[in-house]
């Protein structure tokens, strides 16, 4: 398998980050990769992989150092996610779901436009989440998707209403990764008020313990790819929460998309890793170096050599933009930074499928066998382009709109009925209430 030095400028990586990347590759080769087939076959959650990650302290990568975490930047975290993805896509994808809750609690708190009152309310809430992750090794799930609705275009259907001492949450979450295996769920919902239509500005996010009365996991999980994520359905029926269960004060989470849009692109490290894994397998296969396979040297075929060259060129260009995007990620980004991020998201989610398809074609018939990892990588690779809020289709739309229209024209730019434009970054322009 490849090493970070094969595609990163190590002089730009802090030693402590490189140590983590090195250890992830050791775990990947020795444990994650050997377990990946069983996880995929059984559609079972990668429990043992999480035990390994917890034992290494890697569940707190983005938690600030003062709370006992590693204090990694978003870009440093992304590199770790991509290394995990080389060996087991489902582990990398769910690892992101957990870490996203830590990122939200950290990076949204650091936004410069929060008031002193916002930070005073936010501080004890995020300290509680960090303590759970560091001291309890608690695992978080962050289900947002809801069946039949694009959650970026309309307020969340899952709703809460104020009651004595707190709120009661009712609703349904689809594709709730880690369902049944996490300790806490980050539940995004819309607060309802009598006589008022549901609004984005009334979005709230609570942390709900796995054993909370009224919370249940239902349904089965038998998808095309990413079968180990255990993304079953989550049902909430009169789940009671209090002020202490808030992940953020009201009105802050909904500003993630306009103010910290790169945090919603953190599914891409997984697929960057899958692409690298597919390339690595192809090279090993053509060199006759796949464990358990005959040492057949297939490098003499010119067509295969040419295809490997094409794969590398595609992979290198994907990673170059992707790495730049995550290393420059920040709150309140510029238009140029956001457009690069959208382009990188599109390139990775589409490019990983192209690379996996070339790998299957180049390695030939045996690569279709489930006994080899490429068949799993091929299926996993197709899933990234479908994932909200930044699907490939949405990225094409956003790139075209930001290219062809001035910022003060975005609200009136033509689009499909019911499109996902509320998740479009608008800087300080636009009139969508509650999102500035």
């Amino acid at each position: 398998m490849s090493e970070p030095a094969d595609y990163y400028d190590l002089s730009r990586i802090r030693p402590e980050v490189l140590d983590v990347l090195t250890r992830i590759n050791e775990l990947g080769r020795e444990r994650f990769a050997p377990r990946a087939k069983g996880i995929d076959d059984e559609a079972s959650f990668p429990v043992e992989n999480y035990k390994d990650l917890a034992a290494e302290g890697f569940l707190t990568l983005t938690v600030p150092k003062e709370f006992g975490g590693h204090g990694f930047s978003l870009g440093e975290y992304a590199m770790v996610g991509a290394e995990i993805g080389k060996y087991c896509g489902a582990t990398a994808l769910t690892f992101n779901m957990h870490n996203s809750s830590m990122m939200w609690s950290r990076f949204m708190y650091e936004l410069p436009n929060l008031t002193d009152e916002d930070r005073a309310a936010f501080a004890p809430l995020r300290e509680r989440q960090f303590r759970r992750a560091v001291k309890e090794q608690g695992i978080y799930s962050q289900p947002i998707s809801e069946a039949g609705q694009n959650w970026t275009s309309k307020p969340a259907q899952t709703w809460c209403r104020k009651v004595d001492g707190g709120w009661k949450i009712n609703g349904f979450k689809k594709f709730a990764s880690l369902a049944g295996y996490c300790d806490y769920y980050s539940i995004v919902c819309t607060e309802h008020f009598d006589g008022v239509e549901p609004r984005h500005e009334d979005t709230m996010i609570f942390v709900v313990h796995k054993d909370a009365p009224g919370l249940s996991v239902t349904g089965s999980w038998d998808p095309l790819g990413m079968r180990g994520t255990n993304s079953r359905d989550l049902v909430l029926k009169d789940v009671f929460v209090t002020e202490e269960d808030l992940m953020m004060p009201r009105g802050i989470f909904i500003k993630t998309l306009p103010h910290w849009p790169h945090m919603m692109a953190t599914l891409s490290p997984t697929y960057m890793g899958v692409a690298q894994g597919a390339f690595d397998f192809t090279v090993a296969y053509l060199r006759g170096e796949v464990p358990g396979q005959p040492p057949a040297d297939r490098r003499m075929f010119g067509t295969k050599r040419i295809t490997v060259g094409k794969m590398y060129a595609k992979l290198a260009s994907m990673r170059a933009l992707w790495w730049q995007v995550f290393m420059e990620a920040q709150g309140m980004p510029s238009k140029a930074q956001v457009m690069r991020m959208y382009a990188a998201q599109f390139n990775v989610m589409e490019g990983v499928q192209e690379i996996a398809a070339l790998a299957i074609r180049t390695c030939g018939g045996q690569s279709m066998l489930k006994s080899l990892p490429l068949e799993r990588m091929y299926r996993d690779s197709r899933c990234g382009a479908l994932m909200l809020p930044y699907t490939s289709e949405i990225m094409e739309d956003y790139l075209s709109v930001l290219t062809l229209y001035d910022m003060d024209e975005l609200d009136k730019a033509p689009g499909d009925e019911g499109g996902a434009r509320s998740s479009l970054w608008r800087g300080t322009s636009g009139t969508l209430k509650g999102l500035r």
Side-chain angles (χ1 to χ4, degrees), residues 143 145-147 171-177 179-180 185 215-221 230-236:
S145 295
E146 298 172 336
F172 172 85
K173 296 295 182 181
K174 193 74 174 174
F175 302 130
S177 298
Y185 295 91
L215 182 75
S216 61
V217 178
T218 65
S220 59
W221 181 242
N230 208 64
S231 303
R232 298 168 65 197
D233 301 337
L234 196 67
V235 177
L236 301 98

Short mmCIF file of all heavy atoms in Angstrom, two decimals, residues 143 145-147 171-177 179-180 185 215-221 230-236:
data_model
loop_
_atom_site.label_atom_id
_atom_site.label_comp_id
_atom_site.label_asym_id
_atom_site.label_seq_id
_atom_site.Cartn_x
_atom_site.Cartn_y
_atom_site.Cartn_z
N PRO A 143 -27.12 11.93 12.57
CA PRO A 143 -28.11 11.76 11.51
C PRO A 143 -28.85 13.05 11.20
O PRO A 143 -29.38 13.71 12.08
CB PRO A 143 -29.07 10.71 12.11
CG PRO A 143 -28.96 10.91 13.58
CD PRO A 143 -27.52 11.30 13.83
N SER A 145 -30.33 13.39 7.56
CA SER A 145 -31.22 13.12 6.42
C SER A 145 -32.58 12.60 6.89
O SER A 145 -32.70 11.89 7.89
CB SER A 145 -30.59 12.07 5.49
OG SER A 145 -29.42 12.57 4.90
N GLU A 146 -33.60 12.98 6.12
CA GLU A 146 -34.97 12.55 6.39
C GLU A 146 -35.60 12.08 5.09
O GLU A 146 -35.43 12.71 4.05
CB GLU A 146 -35.77 13.71 7.00
CG GLU A 146 -35.20 14.17 8.32
CD GLU A 146 -35.86 15.44 8.85
OE1 GLU A 146 -36.41 16.21 8.04
OE2 GLU A 146 -35.81 15.65 10.06
N ALA A 147 -36.29 10.98 5.14
CA ALA A 147 -36.83 10.37 3.93
C ALA A 147 -37.77 11.31 3.19
O ALA A 147 -38.63 11.96 3.78
CB ALA A 147 -37.60 9.09 4.29
N GLY A 171 -40.02 12.80 15.41
CA GLY A 171 -39.59 12.78 14.02
C GLY A 171 -38.90 11.49 13.63
O GLY A 171 -39.00 10.47 14.34
N PHE A 172 -38.19 11.58 12.52
CA PHE A 172 -37.64 10.39 11.88
C PHE A 172 -36.38 10.78 11.14
O PHE A 172 -36.33 11.80 10.47
CB PHE A 172 -38.70 9.86 10.89
CG PHE A 172 -38.24 8.75 9.99
CD1 PHE A 172 -38.27 7.44 10.42
CD2 PHE A 172 -37.78 9.02 8.72
CE1 PHE A 172 -37.86 6.41 9.58
CE2 PHE A 172 -37.36 8.01 7.87
CZ PHE A 172 -37.41 6.69 8.31
N LYS A 173 -35.33 10.00 11.29
CA LYS A 173 -34.08 10.23 10.57
C LYS A 173 -33.74 9.02 9.71
O LYS A 173 -33.79 7.88 10.18
CB LYS A 173 -32.93 10.50 11.55
CG LYS A 173 -33.09 11.77 12.38
CD LYS A 173 -33.04 13.02 11.51
CE LYS A 173 -33.16 14.28 12.36
NZ LYS A 173 -33.14 15.51 11.54
N LYS A 174 -33.43 9.27 8.47
CA LYS A 174 -33.04 8.23 7.52
C LYS A 174 -31.53 8.20 7.42
O LYS A 174 -30.86 9.21 7.60
CB LYS A 174 -33.66 8.55 6.14
CG LYS A 174 -33.59 7.40 5.15
CD LYS A 174 -34.59 6.31 5.48
CE LYS A 174 -34.61 5.23 4.39
NZ LYS A 174 -35.47 4.10 4.78
N PHE A 175 -30.98 7.02 7.09
CA PHE A 175 -29.53 6.87 6.92
C PHE A 175 -28.78 7.33 8.19
O PHE A 175 -27.83 8.10 8.10
CB PHE A 175 -29.02 7.64 5.71
CG PHE A 175 -29.69 7.23 4.42
CD1 PHE A 175 -30.23 8.17 3.57
CD2 PHE A 175 -29.77 5.89 4.07
CE1 PHE A 175 -30.84 7.79 2.37
CE2 PHE A 175 -30.38 5.50 2.89
CZ PHE A 175 -30.91 6.45 2.04
N ALA A 176 -29.25 6.86 9.33
CA ALA A 176 -28.63 7.23 10.60
C ALA A 176 -27.42 6.33 10.85
O ALA A 176 -27.50 5.32 11.54
CB ALA A 176 -29.64 7.11 11.74
N SER A 177 -26.28 6.71 10.27
CA SER A 177 -25.07 5.90 10.41
C SER A 177 -24.70 5.74 11.88
O SER A 177 -24.89 6.64 12.68
CB SER A 177 -23.91 6.56 9.66
OG SER A 177 -24.18 6.64 8.28
N ALA A 179 -26.22 3.78 13.80
CA ALA A 179 -27.44 3.54 14.58
C ALA A 179 -27.35 2.24 15.36
O ALA A 179 -27.08 1.18 14.81
CB ALA A 179 -28.66 3.51 13.65
N GLY A 180 -27.56 2.35 16.66
CA GLY A 180 -27.48 1.19 17.53
C GLY A 180 -26.09 0.90 18.06
O GLY A 180 -25.93 0.04 18.93
N TYR A 185 -26.62 10.65 19.87
CA TYR A 185 -27.09 11.09 18.56
C TYR A 185 -27.20 12.61 18.56
O TYR A 185 -27.78 13.20 19.48
CB TYR A 185 -28.46 10.50 18.24
CG TYR A 185 -28.48 9.00 18.09
CD1 TYR A 185 -28.74 8.18 19.19
CD2 TYR A 185 -28.23 8.40 16.86
CE1 TYR A 185 -28.76 6.81 19.07
CE2 TYR A 185 -28.25 7.02 16.72
CZ TYR A 185 -28.51 6.23 17.83
OH TYR A 185 -28.52 4.86 17.71
N LEU A 215 -36.68 6.90 21.97
CA LEU A 215 -35.74 6.77 20.85
C LEU A 215 -35.64 5.30 20.46
O LEU A 215 -35.42 4.43 21.31
CB LEU A 215 -34.36 7.29 21.26
CG LEU A 215 -33.27 7.26 20.19
CD1 LEU A 215 -33.49 8.38 19.18
CD2 LEU A 215 -31.89 7.41 20.84
N SER A 216 -35.78 4.99 19.18
CA SER A 216 -35.69 3.61 18.72
C SER A 216 -35.02 3.53 17.35
O SER A 216 -35.10 4.47 16.56
CB SER A 216 -37.08 2.96 18.66
OG SER A 216 -37.92 3.65 17.75
N VAL A 217 -34.33 2.42 17.12
CA VAL A 217 -33.69 2.13 15.84
C VAL A 217 -34.49 1.05 15.14
O VAL A 217 -34.78 0.01 15.73
CB VAL A 217 -32.24 1.66 16.06
CG1 VAL A 217 -31.58 1.31 14.73
CG2 VAL A 217 -31.43 2.73 16.77
N THR A 218 -34.87 1.30 13.90
CA THR A 218 -35.74 0.36 13.19
C THR A 218 -35.19 0.07 11.80
O THR A 218 -34.27 0.73 11.31
CB THR A 218 -37.17 0.92 13.06
OG1 THR A 218 -37.13 2.10 12.24
CG2 THR A 218 -37.75 1.27 14.41
N GLY A 219 -35.81 -0.91 11.14
CA GLY A 219 -35.49 -1.22 9.76
C GLY A 219 -34.23 -2.04 9.62
O GLY A 219 -33.57 -2.42 10.58
N SER A 220 -33.91 -2.35 8.36
CA SER A 220 -32.73 -3.15 8.05
C SER A 220 -31.75 -2.29 7.25
O SER A 220 -32.05 -1.16 6.87
CB SER A 220 -33.12 -4.39 7.24
OG SER A 220 -33.77 -4.01 6.03
N TRP A 221 -30.56 -2.84 6.98
CA TRP A 221 -29.55 -2.09 6.23
C TRP A 221 -28.89 -3.06 5.26
O TRP A 221 -28.09 -3.90 5.64
CB TRP A 221 -28.52 -1.49 7.19
CG TRP A 221 -27.45 -0.68 6.52
CD1 TRP A 221 -26.11 -0.93 6.51
CD2 TRP A 221 -27.63 0.51 5.74
NE1 TRP A 221 -25.44 0.03 5.80
CE2 TRP A 221 -26.35 0.95 5.30
CE3 TRP A 221 -28.76 1.26 5.37
CZ2 TRP A 221 -26.17 2.09 4.52
CZ3 TRP A 221 -28.56 2.39 4.59
CH2 TRP A 221 -27.30 2.79 4.18
N ASN A 230 -24.08 0.71 9.00
CA ASN A 230 -25.28 0.43 9.79
C ASN A 230 -26.20 1.66 9.86
O ASN A 230 -26.62 2.11 10.92
CB ASN A 230 -24.93 -0.03 11.20
CG ASN A 230 -26.00 -0.94 11.78
OD1 ASN A 230 -26.25 -2.02 11.28
ND2 ASN A 230 -26.66 -0.48 12.83
N SER A 231 -26.49 2.20 8.70
CA SER A 231 -27.27 3.44 8.61
C SER A 231 -28.76 3.14 8.59
O SER A 231 -29.46 3.37 7.60
CB SER A 231 -26.85 4.22 7.35
OG SER A 231 -25.49 4.48 7.36
N ARG A 232 -29.25 2.65 9.70
CA ARG A 232 -30.66 2.30 9.82
C ARG A 232 -31.50 3.53 10.15
O ARG A 232 -31.01 4.65 10.19
CB ARG A 232 -30.81 1.21 10.88
CG ARG A 232 -30.06 -0.08 10.52
CD ARG A 232 -29.98 -1.03 11.70
NE ARG A 232 -31.30 -1.50 12.09
CZ ARG A 232 -31.56 -2.08 13.27
NH1 ARG A 232 -30.59 -2.22 14.17
NH2 ARG A 232 -32.78 -2.51 13.54
N ASP A 233 -32.79 3.32 10.36
CA ASP A 233 -33.71 4.42 10.63
C ASP A 233 -33.77 4.72 12.13
O ASP A 233 -33.73 3.81 12.96
CB ASP A 233 -35.12 4.07 10.14
CG ASP A 233 -35.15 3.79 8.65
OD1 ASP A 233 -34.25 4.26 7.94
OD2 ASP A 233 -36.07 3.09 8.19
N LEU A 234 -33.90 5.99 12.43
CA LEU A 234 -33.99 6.44 13.82
C LEU A 234 -35.34 7.12 14.01
O LEU A 234 -35.69 8.05 13.29
CB LEU A 234 -32.85 7.42 14.11
CG LEU A 234 -32.54 7.72 15.57
CD1 LEU A 234 -31.99 6.49 16.27
CD2 LEU A 234 -31.53 8.87 15.66
N VAL A 235 -36.11 6.63 14.98
CA VAL A 235 -37.43 7.18 15.27
C VAL A 235 -37.41 7.85 16.64
O VAL A 235 -36.90 7.27 17.61
CB VAL A 235 -38.51 6.07 15.23
CG1 VAL A 235 -39.88 6.64 15.59
CG2 VAL A 235 -38.55 5.43 13.85
N LEU A 236 -37.93 9.06 16.71
CA LEU A 236 -38.01 9.80 17.97
C LEU A 236 -39.48 10.10 18.27
O LEU A 236 -40.17 10.74 17.46
CB LEU A 236 -37.22 11.10 17.91
CG LEU A 236 -35.72 10.96 17.61
CD1 LEU A 236 -35.45 11.21 16.12
CD2 LEU A 236 -34.90 11.93 18.45
#
